[in-house]
Amino acid sequence: MEPGSMENLSIVYQSRDFLVVNKHWDVRIDSKTWRETVTLQKQLRHHFPELADPNTYYGFRFCHQLDFSTSGALCVALSKAAAGSAYRCFKERRVTKAYLALLRGHVQESRVTISYAIGRSSTEGRAHTMCIEGTPGCENPKPSLTELVVLEHGLYSGDPVSKVLLQPLTGRTHQLRVHCSARGHPVVGDLTYGQGGSQEERPFRMMLHALYLRVPTDAERVEACTPDPFVPALDACWSPHTLVHPLNQLIQALRAAPDPDPTIWGPQPCSPTTPHSVTPETEAQQASCLQWLLEWTLEPDS
């Protein structure tokens, strides 16, 4: 598959107040470094210069984050008011997300609920990574919940692999990657939480994709479903042989499902990057919310 470029930006939802883009794999959302020739922020400026907000540092307000290596649905607010309405949906846990992934090995259960608590690793050499509770050096683990449904079993470059649908019910950093790895089925191509060695160097990307997104703001229901990138026609290394659950039926169920009930998990702090902790908001977290709504309007690094 072709790498990300300034030209190949894909829009899957557009209104007066929001865009949902299908972010390319291995493209950062934004960057202050000159070395990043292609970022989502630069792609948006290139395709929609008239929509850029000169009052923000990056020009666009990203409502949430996707890892550099993860592709798929990413919501962009086109005004401060729209960003505020999206923020409230994230804060109140009314957002629905679903991801596709290729995992190492054949997951035997057709449906799995993964509930390992996740914390930050303090182990030397593992800075900026997460870990499950009970792992040496795991600091401040918090409850985390992921639903996994197996779609297909098959082979990737001759190795057994499962194609799955993942639905994060909490929003911890690297949650899906950590949960799948802890179950013994890391994401194919995940160099951080994978099996390491030459096996994970073969894939051209990490096989994790944000398939579906629904943000039910007061003004409009932002909903988008991106194309499935994990099909043999796009990647000849992937060869499915056993169908477990049809993807189309699961997508229909996602569309028909009610918005998540915010009372299940209780109130959450402001930060959209850690939206599911149940501790009360602090002044620092409230300040973080304001900074997010202003879309990081800080001075550039000197």
Side-chain angles (χ1 to χ4, degrees):
M1 295 176 66
E2 62 179 7
S5 70
M6 293 297 290
E7 300 301 329
N8 62 1
L9 177 67
S10 174
I11 304 297
V12 292
Y13 178 95
Q14 184 172 2
S15 69
R16 183 186 65 179
D17 291 323
F18 292 98
L19 293 173
V20 177
V21 304
N22 184 9
K23 187 185 87 67
H24 205 280
W25 49 272
D26 286 3
V27 168
R28 298 189 190 281
I29 294 175
D30 48 58
S31 176
K32 294 180 181 179
T33 66
W34 62 268
R35 294 183 298 275
E36 297 291 342
T37 57
V38 178
T39 65
L40 179 54
Q41 173 261 334
K42 290 180 179 178
Q43 288 178 318
L44 287 168
R45 279 189 177 274
H46 178 70
H47 288 270
F48 301 101
E50 73 283 2
L51 299 180
D53 187 342
N55 295 319
T56 63
Y57 180 72
Y58 289 108
F60 295 89
R61 294 178 169 88
F62 301 107
C63 298
H64 56 113
Q65 301 289 315
L66 287 179
D67 291 341
F68 164 70
S69 301
T70 303
S71 60
L74 182 70
C75 184
V76 182
L78 300 178
S79 70
K80 184 177 177 181
S85 64
Y87 154 72
R88 285 188 290 274
C89 291
F90 281 93
K91 178 184 178 183
E92 296 167 3
R93 294 189 184 87
R94 292 187 285 118
V95 174
T96 300
K97 296 179 181 179
Y99 292 72
L100 290 175
L102 298 183
L103 305 184
R104 292 288 176 192
H106 287 163
V107 181
Q108 295 306 306
E109 308 95 325
S110 64
R111 293 178 180 265
V112 183
T113 298
I114 309 174
S115 57
Y116 300 115
I118 294 177
R120 190 166 295 279
S121 177
S122 63
T123 303
E124 185 177 357
R126 298 290 293 176
H128 310 299
T129 65
M130 310 301 287
C131 52
I132 62 169
E133 187 174 22
T135 304
C138 188
E139 295 183 340
N140 193 27
K142 296 179 180 179
S144 308
L145 195 65
T146 300
E147 297 289 348
L148 181 155
V149 180
V150 177
L151 302 172
E152 295 174 300
H153 289 151
L155 300 175
Y156 193 89
S157 296
D159 297 321
V161 160
S162 301
K163 181 176 177 178
V164 302
L165 184 78
L166 300 168
Q167 190 166 0
L169 302 184
T170 51
R172 310 300 176 206
T173 301
H174 298 173
Q175 175 177 319
L176 300 180
R177 298 163 64 187
V178 172
H179 269 174
C180 291
S181 180
R183 290 278 305 184
H185 298 285
V187 176
V188 173
D190 190 343
L191 299 177
T192 301
Y193 302 103
Q195 298 171 341
S198 59
Q199 188 178 40
E200 292 307 346
E201 294 175 0
R202 285 182 222 151
F204 62 92
R205 57 162 293 180
M206 183 175 72
M207 303 300 177
L208 181 62
H209 175 79
L211 174 76
Y212 177 83
L213 176 68
R214 185 170 75 232
V215 186
T217 71
D218 294 337
E220 67 181 281
R221 180 186 175 99
V222 179
E223 185 177 34
C225 188
T226 59
D228 176 3
F230 306 138
V231 293
L234 297 177
D235 186 355
C237 294
W238 165 233
S239 176
H241 56 61
T242 303
L243 177 66
V244 181
H245 288 106
L247 177 58
N248 287 341
Q249 292 182 11
L250 295 177
I251 292 174
Q252 291 174 8
L254 282 170
R255 291 187 181 277
D259 297 328
D261 183 352
T263 63
I264 294 176
W265 291 93
Q268 67 182 35
C270 249
S271 172
T273 57
T274 55
H276 296 280
S277 171
V278 296
T279 54
E281 286 188 11
T282 65
E283 290 185 3
Q285 287 167 338
Q286 291 172 354
S288 175
C289 287
L290 178 60
Q291 179 179 336
W292 175 65
L293 292 176
L294 292 174
E295 184 18 67
W296 306 303
T297 55
L298 303 176
E299 291 298 320
D301 293 338
S302 57

